[in-house]
Amino acid sequence: MDWHFGEHTGSPFWLGKRDGLGFDPLADVRGVADLTRFPDVSDELRTVPARQLIPQGLADRPFRVYDSGGTTGSPKRIVDSGYRSRLLEWAHARLVEAGVPGSGNWLHLGPSGPHVIGFDVGRYAALGNGILYGVDLDPRWVKRLLAQGRADDADEYVQHLLDQAETILQTQDIAVLNTTPPLLEAICARPELYRLVREKTQAIIWAGTSISAESLRQLDEVFFPGIPVVGVYGNSLMGVAPQRPAAPGDRHPCVFEPYPATTRLELVDDDGRSVPYGERGRVRLHLVAEEMFLPNILERDTAVRVEPRPGSAVDGLADVQTFRALSDVRIIEGVY
């Protein structure tokens, strides 16, 4: 709080809100529970000039701007200098722990800029001294096609993406494939591309919001037996929460765990109260990092609350699904 609300260190965005909060963040915020006193500012991230988000104490650093996917309307924006890289070092170690090779080349079949996931996958590849191959996906175009009822055009676009991925796999050494659940299903429906993925990759990472337990079972047991299939939950605002190693008593095939140093993901009911373990709730984000302060953000997703694994201080999340009734906005996941 001293940093984000200090006269010479805080961002213009938060300093401009201090007098209107109705409480003193420097005196009244003593723990995570107090973060719910802040307003949910996520909608403001759609329009605020990005420079207003940069803490004055970091004004001498170069910053990048990334957009959200725009699933619920105009995209939200975040700023980043070095925090995302530190987060991804932790996430990469978790992925290796889950069976992803620590070195080798990556194929990213998904968005690049302005979405942050392209930076994320490039960082994973670099951490293993690998090369990143990319097939750029514009999810906003797919969502527009689907919103207009042009499903055939969307399917043609998906095949265009898969053509490019097939060309890369035919000629290059790829250790890790990173893509979305719908595109992974489309890969399985193309015999030659499916064969290449089976024979050449050592691990598959799926990143997106929702996938059913049955689809996960099919990927693990039917389509890619013997190849680690690992999930990563995340978005621009919260960062990433990789799949954690299986813990004793886990009932779900995939449980996500956020970065404990900066991130808390709570699962809450309609009244904002935490749901019991084993129950489904809406995801509420608190991100407290040097570069960004995002407390009390209600996300677009729901999940089942899972007890922390041994040695961890943060809850797990399982069976993530899109929250369908979000401010009366029609949500189109498209190729996510």
Side-chain angles (χ1 to χ4, degrees), residues 183-256:
L183 289 178
L184 200 49
E185 293 177 1
I187 287 170
C188 293
R190 288 200 18 169
E192 176 60 14
L193 180 54
Y194 167 67
R195 181 190 67 80
L196 289 167
V197 172
R198 275 290 306 269
E199 293 181 359
K200 301 194 73 170
T201 60
Q202 301 171 38
I204 295 169
I205 297 175
W206 60 270
T209 296
S210 57
I211 187 171
S212 69
E214 175 58 22
S215 293
L216 273 180
R217 188 194 68 79
Q218 291 273 343
L219 291 173
D220 279 331
E221 300 178 9
V222 178
F223 290 102
F224 302 106
I227 301 175
V229 178
V230 183
V232 175
Y233 169 55
N235 55 46
S236 298
L237 302 191
M238 64 157 280
V240 293
Q243 181 175 339
R244 75 184 192 187
D250 274 351
R251 297 185 295 106
H252 300 276
C254 179
V255 179
F256 301 109

Side-chain angles (χ1 to χ4, degrees), residues 78-96:
I78 62 164
V79 295
D80 173 70
S81 178
Y83 166 71
R84 194 88 184 189
S85 293
R86 296 190 296 275
L87 162 66
L88 295 172
E89 290 176 7
W90 169 85
H92 183 257
R94 302 287 79 75
L95 294 174
V96 172

Side-chain angles (χ1 to χ4, degrees), residues 11-14 17 41-55 63-67 75-79 291-292:
S11 68
F13 178 78
W14 279 113
K17 290 187 174 298
V41 299
S42 55
D43 275 346
E44 295 181 58
L45 300 180
R46 304 182 194 275
T47 56
V48 62
R51 189 166 291 279
Q52 297 289 306
L53 301 172
I54 297 176
F63 271 80
R64 296 173 292 266
V65 177
Y66 296 111
D67 286 7
K76 304 164 189 173
R77 294 180 182 86
I78 62 164
V79 295
E291 297 175 13
M292 289 287 290

Side-chain angles (χ1 to χ4, degrees), residues 313-329:
V314 297
D315 289 344
L317 293 81
D319 193 18
V320 176
Q321 302 291 333
T322 299
F323 187 70
R324 298 291 175 181
L326 189 58
S327 302
D328 297 323
V329 174

Side-chain angles (χ1 to χ4, degrees), residues 10-75:
S11 68
F13 178 78
W14 279 113
L15 290 178
K17 290 187 174 298
R18 180 175 175 179
D19 291 343
L21 291 173
F23 62 93
D24 183 355
L26 298 180
D28 300 332
V29 178
R30 297 299 179 191
V32 173
D34 296 322
L35 295 176
T36 59
R37 302 182 67 171
F38 287 95
D40 183 338
V41 299
S42 55
D43 275 346
E44 295 181 58
L45 300 180
R46 304 182 194 275
T47 56
V48 62
R51 189 166 291 279
Q52 297 289 306
L53 301 172
I54 297 176
Q56 295 175 96
L58 304 177
D60 60 338
R61 293 186 186 178
F63 271 80
R64 296 173 292 266
V65 177
Y66 296 111
D67 286 7
S68 69
T71 302
T72 57
S74 178

Side-chain angles (χ1 to χ4, degrees), residues 134-136 159-169 190:
V135 175
D136 187 37
Q159 297 308 313
H160 169 63
L161 299 174
L162 299 186
D163 289 342
Q164 297 172 72
E166 188 168 315
T167 298
I168 292 171
L169 284 161
R190 288 200 18 169

Side-chain angles (χ1 to χ4, degrees), residues 292-310:
M292 289 287 290
F293 178 55
L294 294 173
N296 200 29
I297 303 294
L298 268 180
E299 290 283 14
R300 70 179 192 184
D301 306 321
T302 69
V304 175
R305 186 183 180 196
V306 180
E307 292 180 332
R309 63 170 169 148

